[in-house]
Structure formats: C-alpha cells, structure tokens
Amino acid sequence: MPPITRWFVRSALLWFVLALATGVLLAGGVSADIPGTAWTLPYPTYLHLLTVGWLTNLIFGVAFWMFPRYTAEHPRGSDMLGWLAYVGLNAGLLLRLIGEPIQLSGEAKGVLLLLSAGLQLLGAWAFVLNTWPRVKVK
Amino acid sequence: MGALLLGTKAAPLPAWVFRLFALHAEALLIGWMVQLTMGVAWWILPKYPRLPERGPAAPIWAAWLLLNVGVLLAGVGRSIGAPEATVIAGRLAELLAAVAFAGAAWPRVKAFGR
C-alpha cells in the first residue's frame, strides 16, 4: 500500500467517525445547533462528510493503489496529481465543514464555500487525470 | 421502498408511503453504501503476517451489529414517528460502529508484510 493510499484511507476513517458523530447531532431533524457556538449544522454537511469524506477518500485511495500500473517507472502515474487530489478533496471538505454553518448563520458571504468548491473540483480533476490512463488491460 | 416513493409521483398511493423516506435514506446510505465499503475495506486492507491475519474479530462483529441495529432504530424510528430518543439511540449505535471499525482497521493501513 503506497503512502498516498495510507493518507487517503486514514483520512477516510477520521471523516467516517466525524460524519456519524454529526449524524447523532442531526438525529432530531434536518439541521441542528452546534453546542457552544452560534452556528447551525445542516443536513448536506452530514451527507458530504459521509459521501466525500468517507466514501470518496476510500475510493480514491484504493483506486490509486489497485488500478493497473501506468508504466514500470511510474506504476501509479503522477505522485503530484495524487497529492493534489488528496489535498484538494480534504482541504475542500474541511472548508465546507467550517463554511456551511458560518454561511447559515449569516456571518460570511460564501467565500469559504467558493474556495471549498474550487478545491474539491481541483481534487476531482487531478484524480481523473491521473486515473484515466490507468483504466486499461493489465 | 424507493420504487414506492417514486411511484407516488405518478400514481395515487397512500400518504403513509411518504413516511418511508427516512428509512429509505438511512438504508441506502448507511445500510447499503457505507456497509459495503466497510466490508470491502476489511477484506482488502493489508493483512498481518500472523494469525488472526485480519486482527481480532470481536470489534468488527460489534461494528456490524451496531451499524445494522443503528440503521433499524434510526430509519424505522423516524418513519413510524417513534420518540426522538429512538432515533438518537440509532445514530449513537452507528457512531459506535464507526469507532469500532476505525479502531480495528487503523493498524492495517500499512505497507504489505509489516
């Protein structure tokens, strides 16, 4: 298992626990106050912690590890694109986790969410660009 | 459940069908997608060079049990309008499942043969 896959999978495990912790907070409805703050946690944040934080990180990590080799010299393609995918996805999700409750409280004008969207898009493109040539016969 | 819910958009089905939405969402997201990824991850993560090669079985069985009990409590609970404590208990069971799974899987996120 290459180092980047370990980062993806360990991050996935952390997001998984955090996602289901937010699920407890949201047991009463589609939004919940975050204890000790003036912010509200919305249902979409919970969904994205599960689908992006857990599922997508795990899929990216396992795909980077197990897809057919690119070349003998660079079996997993570009490490730089792999790390860009990791940072984009996870930094973007972290900004969403912070930015969405702040946006709901009316304290910010969405800059964090725009940055979050851009980073996640960048991460997804980096993953696709690196993975596409590896979708082939072994 | 998904078929019934979609059917309500095209045919006059009883109003109680709409109440299945909570169970439908919990079962699809946690019961299906999350559970499948947990099972496959447990299967393919690098094994230990000693027995038991995937580590102790107790935490992973606990995770399986807690996750499924959690889906039933939270999904069915919300769909039948059970007290909020039922849904909270279900979500807590799911959280404990995640903690048990993450604790058991974490040491197996490693290079092969170590």
Side-chain angles (χ1 to χ4, degrees), chain A residues 1 10 20 23 27 54 65, chain B residues 37 44 78 91 94 109-110:
Chain A
M1 180 184 276
R10 285 192 171 144
L20 293 183
W54 164 240
W65 174 27
Chain B
T37 48
I44 65 168
R78 185 167 278 170
R91 291 284 173 85
E94 291 172 4
V109 183
K110 60 186 180 78

Side-chain angles (χ1 to χ4, degrees), chain A residues 38-39 95-96 98-115:
Chain A
W39 299 338
L95 286 181
R96 179 177 193 141
I98 299 166
E100 213 160 23
I102 293 176
Q103 168 88 354
L104 270 183
S105 71
E107 289 177 27
K109 295 195 174 173
V111 177
L112 285 180
L113 292 183
L114 282 176
L115 199 54

Side-chain angles (χ1 to χ4, degrees), chain A residues 32-118:
Chain A
D33 293 336
I34 302 173
T37 72
W39 299 338
T40 299
L41 182 76
Y43 188 69
T45 305
Y46 161 69
L47 278 183
H48 283 81
L49 290 179
L50 263 183
T51 55
V52 178
W54 164 240
L55 295 174
T56 307
N57 260 307
L58 197 66
I59 290 166
F60 276 20
V62 171
F64 194 78
W65 174 27
M66 294 201 149
F67 270 40
R69 292 175 177 209
Y70 181 55
T71 62
E73 297 77 29
H74 301 286
R76 295 189 170 87
S78 160
D79 274 356
M80 194 197 73
L81 282 175
W83 285 112
L84 202 58
Y86 174 80
V87 172
L89 193 76
N90 288 282
L93 185 59
L94 187 62
L95 286 181
R96 179 177 193 141
L97 176 65
I98 299 166
E100 213 160 23
I102 293 176
Q103 168 88 354
L104 270 183
S105 71
E107 289 177 27
K109 295 195 174 173
V111 177
L112 285 180
L113 292 183
L114 282 176
L115 199 54
S116 163

Side-chain angles (χ1 to χ4, degrees), chain B residues 51-64:
Chain B
L51 291 173
E53 57 187 10
R54 288 189 171 87
I60 203 69
W61 280 112
W64 174 80

Side-chain angles (χ1 to χ4, degrees), chain B residues 12 15-17 30 33 39 51 54 58 70 73 80 85 95 103 105:
Chain B
W16 61 263
V17 170
I30 311 286
M33 282 191 251
L51 291 173
R54 288 189 171 87
L73 283 176
I80 65 170
L95 172 61

